[in-house]
Each structure stands twice: as C-alpha cells, then as structure tokens.
Amino acid sequence: MKIKKAVFPVAGLGTRFLPATKAMAKEMLPVVDKPLIQYAVEEAFDAGIEQIIFVTGRGKKALEDHFDRCFEVELTLQNKGKKELLKQIQELVPKTGTIVYTRQNEPLGLGHAIWCARDIVGDEPFAVLLADDLIQTDKPVLTEMVKKFDRFRASIAAVMEVDNDQTDKYGILDAVKLENNIFQINDMVEKPVPAEAPSNLAIIGRYILTPSIFQHLGKKEKGAGGEIQLTDAMKALLKEQPIFGYKFEGTRFDCGDKAGFQMANLAFALERPDMREKLIHFIREIQQNF
Ligand code: UTP
C-alpha cells in the first residue's frame, strides 16, 4: 500500500513565539524566504504524497492563501518581467483538489490534532509532518521513511540522538538497534526527566502511521502537560503492532523554539549563494565582540 496522504497539524498556539504568533500560525514563519510549512509540504510531495491534509486552528487564512494563486502578484511580476520569481510563485500552488483543510476547534494536543483528520485519512497508512521541525539534509527524511515503510509495512517515527539533559523535551524511545539506522521500539515515554529516560533517542516530527492509531487517539486520554499526546497512542499501538524508529541523516532545527529558529535561518541562508558571502563577513565581524 502506497503512502498517499500526509497530515500537517498546524493548530498549536505557538506560545513560545508570541507575539509573532498571536494572529498567525507559527508554521507561517519564514526561514529565509519560505514559510516553514512550505518546506514540509515540498518534502511531502517529493516523497510521493498526493494529498495534503492541514489541521488548522488560528491563522488558517494566511496558510490557505499561501497555497493558492494570487493573480495581483502574478500580474505584477509578469508586467515587470520577473519570470523566475513568477515561475516559483506559480509552482508552489499544488494541483487543484490536492489540499484538504479540517479544523481542530480546541488545541487539545498533537494527538488530538491528528485524530481530527481521521475521516479524511480513512483506512490507510499515512504520514504526519510537523513543520516546526526543519531538517537540513541531502536525504529528505520522508522519502527515506516511505522506503522503510515499503520494507517493514509498519509505523515508523523519525528519531535522533539528543543530549542527556534534553530528554524532557521529547518522546524518548526504549528500543533495540536492528541495523545501521533502524530501531525496533519496545516502549516510549513522553518527556521523561533525564534520570528516568530509557535512552537518548528522541522522536521528532516525521511519522508514518497505520490507521489503527486512530482507535487509540479516539480514547482522548490526556497525558503529559494535560494534552492528548501522540506518543501515548503510539505506546498503546505498540502492544498490537511493531513500530520502528528511523535515525535520519542531517541536522534538525527546532523552529518552534526561538533560538532554534534563528539557527535554521542562518544555516539555510548560508546555503544560498546570493547571501553566503555577506553573512560570513557579518559573522566574522560580530565574532570579535563575543
Ligand atoms: P508544540 O508542542 O510545538 O505546541 O506542537 P505549540 O502549541 O504549537 O507551541 P508552543 O509550545 O505553545 O510554543 C507541535 C506541533 O503540533 C501542532 C503544532 O501546530 C505543531 O505543529 N499542534 C499542537 C496542534 O496542531 N494542535 C495542538 O493542540 C497542539
């Protein structure tokens, strides 16, 4: 079975980014010149995804408009002869009918946001991408995970090693290594204090899930932070089906965090030939004051 649908939960309050996120979803914040959500949507299409499902809350309008045509902008670019920019703007609009929106009326947690997409996903395995996890890599993470799914036919979460004192920020795995970058998960714990963490392998925002997850999410049990957690539902799913961890290659930036977001901007801008030299010059200059 092919992974055709991807769910993008974009209904979080983004309180760590206030006031920027007061009227706008944090996934619309730009890294260099593209909103976070666009990086994630491009990653999904590159992995062969055919339908994008946004679970929105506030800030829905900006997000909808971003993936829609904008005739005034297109006409202006055309009149000014800015062909390359015009092409970029037109290409980012997915084919009509490939985007579906649903609403999470209350931000009850990531697990609840995914559950809100249950009827649109239906009875097939699907991907979940959290746009605030931005990954700089030569091996796009979802594409690799789809390949792993074709092999294992089971749920998979992207994982990375974190510093031991950071375990209380993530879902942490108790797992055995099967091969180079694949782990079979025995158990998982949401945000354990370092002394109680079973490892330093943390789940980050890329998943492929079997539809059975919806039965567990539907129980709406509250977990860490009083939220309906995806990790808790995956933990319950583990009792019925295997789940694997895929340790991806590349650097992940936590763009839901202010420092992580600035680092992402710098790292992605340094990859751009039109900015690289200027930035290196600036970094060298300010470094003298550190
Ligand atoms: P976070 O845990 O980063 O929460 O959500 P948040 O509310 O967005 O941000 P802070 O912590 O208040 O700053 C991880 C992902 O899950 C989505 C978010 O939009 C983000 O993509 N999410 C979270 C929802 O869609 N609904 C929720 O109820 C919670």
Side-chain angles (χ1 to χ4, degrees), residues 178-235:
L178 284 189
E179 55 191 67
N180 191 18
N181 50 13
I182 294 289
F183 294 81
Q184 174 142 17
I185 303 176
N186 294 325
D187 199 2
M188 46 183 84
V189 192
E190 183 63 26
K191 302 188 172 73
V193 292
E196 286 165 22
S199 74
N200 68 341
L201 275 179
I203 302 179
I204 62 113
R206 299 288 182 279
Y207 307 83
I208 289 179
L209 298 167
T210 59
S212 312
I213 196 75
F214 289 123
Q215 284 158 26
H216 299 290
L217 290 172
K219 291 179 190 149
K220 298 192 187 160
E221 282 162 10
K222 288 188 178 164
E227 295 195 341
I228 299 168
Q229 298 284 359
L230 175 61
T231 312
D232 293 336
M234 289 175 74
K235 214 173 135 78

Side-chain angles (χ1 to χ4, degrees), residues 46-63:
D46 287 347
I49 295 296
E50 294 167 14
Q51 187 175 48
I52 301 292
I53 304 163
F54 286 124
V55 182
T56 64
R58 301 153 318 116
K60 175 181 148 90
K61 190 164 185 315
L63 208 123

Side-chain angles (χ1 to χ4, degrees), residues 9-276:
V10 290
L13 293 180
T15 52
R16 285 170 290 166
F17 254 105
L18 285 167
T21 48
K22 188 167 170 244
M24 182 186 76
K26 89 177 148 185
E27 290 79 4
M28 283 303 292
L29 292 169
V31 165
V32 187
D33 50 10
K34 274 201 284 193
L36 285 166
I37 192 69
Q38 193 183 329
Y39 288 93
V41 166
E42 286 172 357
E43 182 182 334
F45 280 131
D46 287 347
I49 295 296
E50 294 167 14
Q51 187 175 48
I52 301 292
I53 304 163
F54 286 124
V55 182
T56 64
R58 301 153 318 116
K60 175 181 148 90
K61 190 164 185 315
L63 208 123
E64 276 189 357
D65 286 348
H66 186 73
F67 290 103
D68 199 359
R69 294 196 64 177
C70 180
F71 294 103
E72 308 94 276
V73 173
E74 288 181 30
L75 191 66
T76 308
L77 293 176
Q78 197 162 7
N79 290 343
K80 291 191 171 168
K82 296 190 171 177
K83 285 188 193 149
E84 188 48 41
L85 205 49
L86 176 64
K87 194 167 155 253
Q88 272 181 38
I89 293 292
Q90 287 172 335
E91 277 176 0
L92 84 83
V93 180
K95 273 192 293 194
T96 311
T98 46
I99 298 192
V100 179
Y101 295 90
T102 188
R103 192 98 175 174
Q104 184 190 25
N105 316 57
E106 267 184 284
L108 298 178
L110 171 62
H112 179 256
I114 295 168
W115 179 79
C116 291
R118 68 200 178 282
D119 288 340
I120 308 170
V121 171
D123 192 24
E124 56 185 283
F126 63 103
V128 175
L129 293 95
L130 305 188
D132 45 1
D133 274 334
L134 183 60
I135 300 144
Q136 195 172 38
T137 179
D138 295 332
K139 278 194 167 180
V141 179
L142 195 66
T143 300
E144 293 305 309
M145 289 175 72
V146 167
K147 286 186 205 159
K148 305 293 175 215
F149 178 83
D150 287 343
R151 249 181 83 198
F152 293 100
R153 317 304 289 173
S155 298
I156 305 168
V159 300
M160 64 181 243
E161 281 172 10
V162 295
D163 291 339
N164 289 339
D165 61 355
Q166 296 292 305
T167 55
D168 57 356
K169 296 191 172 67
Y170 300 88
I172 298 289
L173 300 190
D174 170 357
V176 283
K177 190 171 180 170
L178 284 189
E179 55 191 67
N180 191 18
N181 50 13
I182 294 289
F183 294 81
Q184 174 142 17
I185 303 176
N186 294 325
D187 199 2
M188 46 183 84
V189 192
E190 183 63 26
K191 302 188 172 73
V193 292
E196 286 165 22
S199 74
N200 68 341
L201 275 179
I203 302 179
I204 62 113
R206 299 288 182 279
Y207 307 83
I208 289 179
L209 298 167
T210 59
S212 312
I213 196 75
F214 289 123
Q215 284 158 26
H216 299 290
L217 290 172
K219 291 179 190 149
K220 298 192 187 160
E221 282 162 10
K222 288 188 178 164
E227 295 195 341
I228 299 168
Q229 298 284 359
L230 175 61
T231 312
D232 293 336
M234 289 175 74
K235 214 173 135 78
L237 185 64
L238 258 179
K239 297 199 174 108
E240 301 159 6
Q241 304 176 0
I243 305 183
F244 297 92
Y246 163 63
K247 190 162 155 250
F248 62 91
E249 288 176 26
T251 309
R252 170 259 188 184
F253 296 95
D254 177 5
C255 291
D257 169 78
K258 281 182 232 180
F261 178 74
Q262 303 310 328
M263 289 177 213
N265 266 289
L266 190 56
F268 277 74
L270 283 169
E271 281 195 329
R272 299 282 188 91
D274 57 330
M275 275 179 267
R276 190 177 162 78

